[in-house]
Amino acid sequence: MEKEQRKRTEMIPYLQDTMEETFRRTCREIQTVLDTDACRIWRGFHDAVCECLETTGALQRQNQKGRLGYLAFSMMRHALWLDRLELRIDALDDGFYMDTAEASAYYHADFLQDRFRKDLASLYEKARTHFVRIQDNELDRIRQEYAGYYYSMLFSMTGSLTGMIRETVEGSGIETADGFQIICGDYMDKAAVLYREETKDEIFSDRD
């Protein structure tokens, strides 16, 4: 039992360097994809944002949702059980995640999917050569740990698209609240502010 426990605690540190090396190699490959296929990737992302905003607009017209206070992009870690890399997009009013009327959409990062699975297969093989009788729950730990690298990439991508996201919100015609924010993080957990609109009080204060 003690030996098995030690195996569990040693596995991720043993794979850490391999994970970093694998991800660096993958990043170079993905950069090529981004350079050649950026328009298609943005269309998929844009479509998901528009789906969320269209639902928001419909709910606002029915007086079921307040002005948009936050557009939240969340890493959906439960989707990893299906080996899917997904972002959930939520349009939130003053109730934040306590909104009674939900307006959300999902973005599936399909351009990363095959590479993610290929990387995992390589990491699983590396683990099996060093640790005998690896269990499914230990492979799940590897998947969860390595997915963090990919989610960091999705976080950076979302941050780089903040300006275009803001333009999409402005062009949608939906009502936004004073101090509207675009945020990104884990679902219903900590999030970073990618964009925050100045409030009216701040605008007038700057003029004084």
Side-chain angles (χ1 to χ4, degrees), residues 187-206:
Y187 183 58
M188 298 186 75
D189 204 338
K190 294 179 181 179
V193 177
L194 302 180
Y195 168 79
R196 179 179 176 275
E197 193 176 71
E198 282 191 315
T199 65
K200 293 176 182 177
D201 289 343
E202 289 171 333
I203 293 172
F204 288 130
S205 175
D206 289 342

Side-chain angles (χ1 to χ4, degrees), residues 174-193:
I174 66 172
E175 296 182 69
T176 57
D178 204 21
F180 163 70
Q181 297 182 35
I182 299 172
I183 61 177
C184 187
D186 285 323
Y187 183 58
M188 298 186 75
D189 204 338
K190 294 179 181 179
V193 177

Side-chain angles (χ1 to χ4, degrees), residues 149-169:
Y149 290 89
Y150 273 78
Y151 277 129
S152 69
M153 181 186 298
L154 284 175
F155 180 92
S156 297
M157 185 184 84
T158 304
S160 69
L161 295 173
T162 299
M164 298 171 76
I165 296 169
R166 182 165 51 84
E167 290 175 3
T168 302
V169 173

Side-chain angles (χ1 to χ4, degrees), residues 73-77 86-87 151 154-155 184-187:
F73 294 83
S74 306
M75 314 301 174
M76 299 305 294
R77 296 188 181 275
E86 283 187 345
L87 282 175
Y151 277 129
L154 284 175
F155 180 92
C184 187
D186 285 323
Y187 183 58

Side-chain angles (χ1 to χ4, degrees), residues 101-135:
E102 181 179 288
S104 63
Y106 291 88
Y107 169 66
H108 174 218
D110 59 345
F111 72 102
L112 296 176
Q113 199 65 64
D114 288 344
R115 288 167 180 80
F116 180 59
R117 289 172 177 156
K118 178 182 175 182
D119 287 354
L120 284 179
S122 174
L123 291 169
Y124 292 163
E125 184 62 28
K126 174 84 171 181
R128 288 189 177 105
T129 61
H130 191 77
F131 301 99
V132 297
R133 296 189 299 276
I134 288 182
Q135 306 298 311

Side-chain angles (χ1 to χ4, degrees), residues 26-185:
T26 295
C27 282
R28 290 192 291 269
E29 296 175 359
I30 291 173
Q31 186 58 55
T32 301
V33 174
L34 291 173
D35 291 341
T36 58
D37 212 10
C39 290
R40 183 188 68 83
I41 294 169
W42 164 245
R43 279 198 303 271
F45 193 92
H46 178 261
D47 287 348
V49 172
C50 286
E51 179 185 344
C52 180
L53 296 176
E54 286 169 6
T55 303
T56 303
L59 290 171
Q60 286 182 343
R61 289 189 292 273
Q62 298 166 18
N63 296 318
Q64 294 183 29
K65 197 169 186 68
R67 292 185 300 167
L68 179 64
Y70 305 87
L71 192 63
F73 294 83
S74 306
M75 314 301 174
M76 299 305 294
R77 296 188 181 275
H78 76 268
L80 294 175
W81 295 105
L82 302 174
D83 284 346
R84 287 174 64 86
L85 295 164
E86 283 187 345
L87 282 175
R88 176 179 167 124
I89 307 168
D90 283 280
L92 308 169
D93 59 25
D94 290 341
F96 206 52
Y97 282 115
M98 299 299 291
D99 282 358
T100 55
E102 181 179 288
S104 63
Y106 291 88
Y107 169 66
H108 174 218
D110 59 345
F111 72 102
L112 296 176
Q113 199 65 64
D114 288 344
R115 288 167 180 80
F116 180 59
R117 289 172 177 156
K118 178 182 175 182
D119 287 354
L120 284 179
S122 174
L123 291 169
Y124 292 163
E125 184 62 28
K126 174 84 171 181
R128 288 189 177 105
T129 61
H130 191 77
F131 301 99
V132 297
R133 296 189 299 276
I134 288 182
Q135 306 298 311
D136 287 345
N137 66 318
E138 293 171 316
L139 296 179
D140 290 339
R141 284 189 61 214
I142 296 172
R143 179 170 55 222
Q144 291 281 348
E145 185 75 19
Y146 189 63
Y149 290 89
Y150 273 78
Y151 277 129
S152 69
M153 181 186 298
L154 284 175
F155 180 92
S156 297
M157 185 184 84
T158 304
S160 69
L161 295 173
T162 299
M164 298 171 76
I165 296 169
R166 182 165 51 84
E167 290 175 3
T168 302
V169 173
E170 291 172 353
S172 69
I174 66 172
E175 296 182 69
T176 57
D178 204 21
F180 163 70
Q181 297 182 35
I182 299 172
I183 61 177
C184 187

